[in-house]
Amino acid sequence: MQIINTRASDRNISDKPVSLEILSNVLWTAFGTNSHNTRTIPTAQNEQDLKVFVVYNKKVWLYDGKNNKLNYYSDVDLMPYLAKQDFVSKAPVHLIYAGDKQYAYAHSGSAYQNVYLYAAEKGLATVIRGYFDANKVHQALNLPETEIVTYHQVIGYPQNNME
């Protein structure tokens, strides 16, 4: 109850790097495989087709939730399509959710809510965004027409107002 009570959208994100351990935990909460050998989120008809792309250290990675690892995906610069608001470009971690058109929004919502709860527990700032050029991101990631890019989530440490 305390974590749910502290969950919030926070756009006041610093550029302080996020460790690989924290990133691994963020991704596992989004779409990892749990101790029951199922996903950390429910998926309609057990499709498990969500894709979680990560922009981290100026590269694009694709999360492999079955093995809890990042696979290099591309060097494409997605920031021109993502950073429609000033705070976005400072964030050290960007998650991009995509999947089959039929269930992608539902699966993405489950994933980003898990990330919100983890962020609340760890004192991280995060916000889910729909204000980005999803079509350009879709093209840049070379996704098939059967898939859709749904949301963009920025994650980092809160900006210290004393800085």
Side-chain angles (χ1 to χ4, degrees):
M1 298 304 279
Q2 290 173 344
I3 291 171
I4 291 172
N5 191 46
T6 60
R7 189 223 55 86
S9 293
D10 188 350
R11 291 166 181 79
N12 195 22
I13 298 173
S14 77
D15 60 358
K16 178 182 173 183
V18 170
S19 71
L20 286 174
E21 179 182 358
I22 294 289
L23 178 59
S24 176
N25 291 338
V26 162
L27 292 168
W28 181 83
T29 64
F31 197 55
T33 302
N34 64 24
S35 62
H36 303 291
N37 203 29
T38 60
R39 294 299 185 150
T40 55
I41 65 166
T43 59
Q45 298 180 356
N46 201 27
E47 289 288 325
Q48 299 185 21
D49 63 349
L50 182 68
K51 289 183 178 173
V52 181
F53 292 93
V54 183
V55 178
Y56 183 77
N57 288 340
K58 299 186 180 186
K59 295 188 184 325
V60 180
W61 306 84
L62 180 59
Y63 179 60
D64 172 358
K66 289 186 179 181
N67 297 300
N68 195 36
K69 70 177 194 173
L70 282 177
N71 293 316
Y72 171 78
Y73 192 81
S74 174
D75 281 331
V76 66
D77 182 8
L78 296 177
M79 293 313 290
Y81 314 129
L82 298 175
K84 304 278 186 198
Q85 296 164 302
D86 291 341
F87 73 92
V88 174
S89 59
K90 289 194 326 185
V93 176
H94 301 261
L95 303 185
I96 299 164
Y97 300 101
D100 180 76
K101 288 180 179 181
Q102 186 172 6
Y103 301 119
Y105 285 100
H107 297 167
S108 298
S110 294
Y112 75 65
Q113 181 64 7
N114 275 8
V115 171
Y116 262 101
L117 295 175
Y118 177 79
E121 192 229 340
K122 293 299 182 183
L124 296 169
T126 189
V127 66
I128 195 68
R129 301 182 62 251
Y131 183 54
F132 67 99
D133 195 331
N135 290 329
K136 292 282 188 185
V137 172
H138 187 275
Q139 291 170 357
L141 294 176
N142 199 29
L143 296 176
E145 285 186 29
T146 58
E147 294 182 0
I148 187 168
V149 174
T150 57
Y151 299 108
H152 168 226
Q153 189 169 20
V154 293
I155 303 161
Y157 291 99
Q159 182 74 40
N160 183 343
N161 291 329
M162 301 300 285
E163 294 177 322

PDB file of all heavy atoms in Angstrom, residues 1-2 40 64-65 67 78 93 103-104 113 130 145 147 150 152 157 163:
ATOM      1  N   MET A   1       0.824  -1.186   0.000  1.00  0.00           N
ATOM      2  CA  MET A   1       0.000   0.000   0.000  1.00  0.00           C
ATOM      3  C   MET A   1       0.873   1.257   0.000  1.00  0.00           C
ATOM      4  O   MET A   1       0.524   2.235  -0.648  1.00  0.00           O
ATOM      5  CB  MET A   1      -0.937  -0.009   1.209  1.00  0.00           C
ATOM      6  CG  MET A   1      -1.926  -1.167   1.226  1.00  0.00           C
ATOM      7  SD  MET A   1      -2.954  -1.280  -0.232  1.00  0.00           S
ATOM      8  CE  MET A   1      -4.178  -0.066   0.148  1.00  0.00           C
ATOM      9  N   GLN A   2       1.987   1.191   0.720  1.00  0.00           N
ATOM     10  CA  GLN A   2       2.863   2.363   0.781  1.00  0.00           C
ATOM     11  C   GLN A   2       3.476   2.663  -0.583  1.00  0.00           C
ATOM     12  O   GLN A   2       3.573   3.830  -0.981  1.00  0.00           O
ATOM     13  CB  GLN A   2       3.956   2.153   1.823  1.00  0.00           C
ATOM     14  CG  GLN A   2       3.432   2.178   3.233  1.00  0.00           C
ATOM     15  CD  GLN A   2       4.505   1.803   4.236  1.00  0.00           C
ATOM     16  OE1 GLN A   2       5.547   1.251   3.887  1.00  0.00           O
ATOM     17  NE2 GLN A   2       4.251   2.103   5.503  1.00  0.00           N
ATOM     18  N   THR A  40       6.336 -11.368 -15.748  1.00  0.00           N
ATOM     19  CA  THR A  40       6.004 -10.518 -14.606  1.00  0.00           C
ATOM     20  C   THR A  40       4.739  -9.717 -14.842  1.00  0.00           C
ATOM     21  O   THR A  40       4.264  -9.049 -13.927  1.00  0.00           O
ATOM     22  CB  THR A  40       7.167  -9.565 -14.283  1.00  0.00           C
ATOM     23  OG1 THR A  40       7.495  -8.827 -15.467  1.00  0.00           O
ATOM     24  CG2 THR A  40       8.380 -10.333 -13.770  1.00  0.00           C
ATOM     25  N   ASP A  64      15.547  -9.126 -23.627  1.00  0.00           N
ATOM     26  CA  ASP A  64      15.197 -10.543 -23.697  1.00  0.00           C
ATOM     27  C   ASP A  64      14.775 -10.962 -22.294  1.00  0.00           C
ATOM     28  O   ASP A  64      15.612 -11.255 -21.448  1.00  0.00           O
ATOM     29  CB  ASP A  64      16.412 -11.345 -24.171  1.00  0.00           C
ATOM     30  CG  ASP A  64      16.222 -12.854 -24.107  1.00  0.00           C
ATOM     31  OD1 ASP A  64      15.149 -13.330 -23.660  1.00  0.00           O
ATOM     32  OD2 ASP A  64      17.163 -13.571 -24.497  1.00  0.00           O
ATOM     33  N   GLY A  65      13.468 -10.963 -22.049  1.00  0.00           N
ATOM     34  CA  GLY A  65      12.942 -11.233 -20.715  1.00  0.00           C
ATOM     35  C   GLY A  65      13.078 -12.681 -20.281  1.00  0.00           C
ATOM     36  O   GLY A  65      13.107 -12.963 -19.088  1.00  0.00           O
ATOM     37  N   ASN A  67      15.693 -14.513 -20.703  1.00  0.00           N
ATOM     38  CA  ASN A  67      17.055 -14.679 -20.204  1.00  0.00           C
ATOM     39  C   ASN A  67      17.541 -13.483 -19.395  1.00  0.00           C
ATOM     40  O   ASN A  67      18.699 -13.453 -18.994  1.00  0.00           O
ATOM     41  CB  ASN A  67      17.996 -14.933 -21.386  1.00  0.00           C
ATOM     42  CG  ASN A  67      17.646 -16.213 -22.093  1.00  0.00           C
ATOM     43  OD1 ASN A  67      17.667 -17.288 -21.497  1.00  0.00           O
ATOM     44  ND2 ASN A  67      17.280 -16.115 -23.369  1.00  0.00           N
ATOM     45  N   LEU A  78      17.223   7.798 -31.732  1.00  0.00           N
ATOM     46  CA  LEU A  78      15.776   7.975 -31.607  1.00  0.00           C
ATOM     47  C   LEU A  78      15.383   9.274 -30.923  1.00  0.00           C
ATOM     48  O   LEU A  78      14.212   9.645 -30.928  1.00  0.00           O
ATOM     49  CB  LEU A  78      15.176   6.790 -30.830  1.00  0.00           C
ATOM     50  CG  LEU A  78      15.286   5.424 -31.485  1.00  0.00           C
ATOM     51  CD1 LEU A  78      14.716   4.355 -30.559  1.00  0.00           C
ATOM     52  CD2 LEU A  78      14.583   5.409 -32.836  1.00  0.00           C
ATOM     53  N   VAL A  93      17.649   6.667 -19.103  1.00  0.00           N
ATOM     54  CA  VAL A  93      17.017   5.417 -19.550  1.00  0.00           C
ATOM     55  C   VAL A  93      15.689   5.741 -20.229  1.00  0.00           C
ATOM     56  O   VAL A  93      14.881   6.503 -19.695  1.00  0.00           O
ATOM     57  CB  VAL A  93      16.774   4.439 -18.380  1.00  0.00           C
ATOM     58  CG1 VAL A  93      16.022   3.195 -18.844  1.00  0.00           C
ATOM     59  CG2 VAL A  93      18.083   4.048 -17.713  1.00  0.00           C
ATOM     60  N   TYR A 103      -3.078  -6.346 -28.863  1.00  0.00           N
ATOM     61  CA  TYR A 103      -2.940  -6.302 -27.400  1.00  0.00           C
ATOM     62  C   TYR A 103      -1.820  -5.391 -26.894  1.00  0.00           C
ATOM     63  O   TYR A 103      -1.582  -5.324 -25.692  1.00  0.00           O
ATOM     64  CB  TYR A 103      -2.684  -7.709 -26.858  1.00  0.00           C
ATOM     65  CG  TYR A 103      -3.769  -8.691 -27.174  1.00  0.00           C
ATOM     66  CD1 TYR A 103      -3.513  -9.819 -27.935  1.00  0.00           C
ATOM     67  CD2 TYR A 103      -5.063  -8.492 -26.702  1.00  0.00           C
ATOM     68  CE1 TYR A 103      -4.522 -10.736 -28.221  1.00  0.00           C
ATOM     69  CE2 TYR A 103      -6.076  -9.400 -26.983  1.00  0.00           C
ATOM     70  CZ  TYR A 103      -5.793 -10.518 -27.738  1.00  0.00           C
ATOM     71  OH  TYR A 103      -6.793 -11.415 -28.017  1.00  0.00           O
ATOM     72  N   ALA A 104      -1.139  -4.711 -27.772  1.00  0.00           N
ATOM     73  CA  ALA A 104       0.061  -3.964 -27.380  1.00  0.00           C
ATOM     74  C   ALA A 104      -0.195  -2.929 -26.292  1.00  0.00           C
ATOM     75  O   ALA A 104       0.614  -2.785 -25.367  1.00  0.00           O
ATOM     76  CB  ALA A 104       0.680  -3.299 -28.603  1.00  0.00           C
ATOM     77  N   GLN A 113       3.271   0.027 -15.586  1.00  0.00           N
ATOM     78  CA  GLN A 113       2.824   0.168 -14.197  1.00  0.00           C
ATOM     79  C   GLN A 113       3.774  -0.566 -13.247  1.00  0.00           C
ATOM     80  O   GLN A 113       4.095  -0.054 -12.173  1.00  0.00           O
ATOM     81  CB  GLN A 113       1.387  -0.335 -14.020  1.00  0.00           C
ATOM     82  CG  GLN A 113       0.867  -0.189 -12.607  1.00  0.00           C
ATOM     83  CD  GLN A 113       0.752   1.264 -12.122  1.00  0.00           C
ATOM     84  OE1 GLN A 113       0.936   2.217 -12.861  1.00  0.00           O
ATOM     85  NE2 GLN A 113       0.470   1.427 -10.854  1.00  0.00           N
ATOM     86  N   GLY A 130       3.098   9.608 -24.173  1.00  0.00           N
ATOM     87  CA  GLY A 130       2.478   9.329 -25.456  1.00  0.00           C
ATOM     88  C   GLY A 130       2.818  10.415 -26.459  1.00  0.00           C
ATOM     89  O   GLY A 130       2.524  10.289 -27.642  1.00  0.00           O
ATOM     90  N   GLU A 145       4.643  -4.262 -40.011  1.00  0.00           N
ATOM     91  CA  GLU A 145       3.361  -3.545 -40.008  1.00  0.00           C
ATOM     92  C   GLU A 145       2.379  -4.111 -38.995  1.00  0.00           C
ATOM     93  O   GLU A 145       1.455  -3.421 -38.579  1.00  0.00           O
ATOM     94  CB  GLU A 145       2.732  -3.577 -41.400  1.00  0.00           C
ATOM     95  CG  GLU A 145       3.406  -2.653 -42.381  1.00  0.00           C
ATOM     96  CD  GLU A 145       2.673  -2.597 -43.712  1.00  0.00           C
ATOM     97  OE1 GLU A 145       1.436  -2.794 -43.728  1.00  0.00           O
ATOM     98  OE2 GLU A 145       3.341  -2.359 -44.720  1.00  0.00           O
ATOM     99  N   GLU A 147       2.938  -4.745 -35.989  1.00  0.00           N
ATOM    100  CA  GLU A 147       3.264  -4.246 -34.656  1.00  0.00           C
ATOM    101  C   GLU A 147       3.069  -2.747 -34.581  1.00  0.00           C
ATOM    102  O   GLU A 147       3.089  -2.050 -35.587  1.00  0.00           O
ATOM    103  CB  GLU A 147       4.698  -4.614 -34.273  1.00  0.00           C
ATOM    104  CG  GLU A 147       4.890  -6.113 -34.124  1.00  0.00           C
ATOM    105  CD  GLU A 147       6.296  -6.474 -33.704  1.00  0.00           C
ATOM    106  OE1 GLU A 147       7.149  -5.589 -33.520  1.00  0.00           O
ATOM    107  OE2 GLU A 147       6.538  -7.689 -33.576  1.00  0.00           O
ATOM    108  N   THR A 150       3.732   1.767 -28.735  1.00  0.00           N
ATOM    109  CA  THR A 150       2.653   2.285 -27.890  1.00  0.00           C
ATOM    110  C   THR A 150       3.073   3.458 -27.012  1.00  0.00           C
ATOM    111  O   THR A 150       2.453   4.514 -27.066  1.00  0.00           O
ATOM    112  CB  THR A 150       2.101   1.166 -26.982  1.00  0.00           C
ATOM    113  OG1 THR A 150       3.177   0.629 -26.205  1.00  0.00           O
ATOM    114  CG2 THR A 150       1.424   0.084 -27.798  1.00  0.00           C
ATOM    115  N   HIS A 152       6.365   5.508 -24.509  1.00  0.00           N
ATOM    116  CA  HIS A 152       7.762   5.792 -24.204  1.00  0.00           C
ATOM    117  C   HIS A 152       7.816   6.140 -22.715  1.00  0.00           C
ATOM    118  O   HIS A 152       7.041   6.981 -22.249  1.00  0.00           O
ATOM    119  CB  HIS A 152       8.224   6.977 -25.063  1.00  0.00           C
ATOM    120  CG  HIS A 152       9.528   7.556 -24.669  1.00  0.00           C
ATOM    121  ND1 HIS A 152       9.715   8.916 -24.555  1.00  0.00           N
ATOM    122  CD2 HIS A 152      10.715   6.995 -24.362  1.00  0.00           C
ATOM    123  CE1 HIS A 152      10.967   9.156 -24.212  1.00  0.00           C
ATOM    124  NE2 HIS A 152      11.594   8.001 -24.076  1.00  0.00           N
ATOM    125  N   TYR A 157      17.126   9.260 -11.982  1.00  0.00           N
ATOM    126  CA  TYR A 157      17.075   9.749 -10.617  1.00  0.00           C
ATOM    127  C   TYR A 157      16.442  11.135 -10.626  1.00  0.00           C
ATOM    128  O   TYR A 157      16.599  11.896 -11.572  1.00  0.00           O
ATOM    129  CB  TYR A 157      18.481   9.812 -10.023  1.00  0.00           C
ATOM    130  CG  TYR A 157      19.040   8.437  -9.803  1.00  0.00           C
ATOM    131  CD1 TYR A 157      19.917   7.865 -10.727  1.00  0.00           C
ATOM    132  CD2 TYR A 157      18.681   7.681  -8.691  1.00  0.00           C
ATOM    133  CE1 TYR A 157      20.418   6.594 -10.540  1.00  0.00           C
ATOM    134  CE2 TYR A 157      19.193   6.404  -8.496  1.00  0.00           C
ATOM    135  CZ  TYR A 157      20.049   5.860  -9.421  1.00  0.00           C
ATOM    136  OH  TYR A 157      20.537   4.605  -9.258  1.00  0.00           O
ATOM    137  N   GLU A 163      20.774  21.591  -6.842  1.00  0.00           N
ATOM    138  CA  GLU A 163      21.885  21.638  -7.794  1.00  0.00           C
ATOM    139  C   GLU A 163      21.863  22.912  -8.607  1.00  0.00           C
ATOM    140  O   GLU A 163      20.885  23.509  -8.875  1.00  0.00           O
ATOM    141  CB  GLU A 163      21.834  20.427  -8.734  1.00  0.00           C
ATOM    142  CG  GLU A 163      22.060  19.141  -8.006  1.00  0.00           C
ATOM    143  CD  GLU A 163      21.943  17.929  -8.909  1.00  0.00           C
ATOM    144  OE1 GLU A 163      21.088  17.910  -9.796  1.00  0.00           O
ATOM    145  OE2 GLU A 163      22.726  17.003  -8.682  1.00  0.00           O
TER     146      GLU A 163
END
